[in-house]
Amino acid sequence: MAGGLVGKVTRFLSTPQGRRVAQEATRRLQTAAKDPATRRRIDAAVSQLRRRGGGTHR
């Protein structure tokens, strides 16, 4: 049985209201990804993570 926060989110997303929220969020993220300024910030963050190696160091 799914419990905790993940279970609550999963149940919410299976409702009609949850599906509408998910669709709206997806639409907004896709629009933001097309914006040149947002794209530069995303590319810079990915580049920074790649320089670091992206792994955990102990």
Side-chain angles (χ1 to χ4, degrees), residues 2-25:
L5 183 61
V6 174
K8 289 179 182 180
V9 170
T10 302
R11 283 192 301 275
F12 173 70
L13 290 175
S14 67
T15 66
Q17 182 182 4
R19 286 192 292 274
R20 281 192 299 273
V21 168
Q23 287 174 346
E24 177 66 17

Side-chain angles (χ1 to χ4, degrees), residues 17-58:
Q17 182 182 4
R19 286 192 292 274
R20 281 192 299 273
V21 168
Q23 287 174 346
E24 177 66 17
T26 299
R27 186 187 63 76
R28 286 180 185 226
L29 288 171
Q30 287 174 346
T31 301
K34 292 177 185 176
D35 177 41
T38 304
R39 191 74 235 163
R40 280 192 297 274
R41 287 195 299 266
I42 291 169
D43 291 342
V46 168
S47 176
Q48 185 178 10
L49 286 172
R50 286 186 178 148
R51 280 194 305 271
R52 287 187 192 169
T56 57
H57 302 285
R58 293 183 182 199

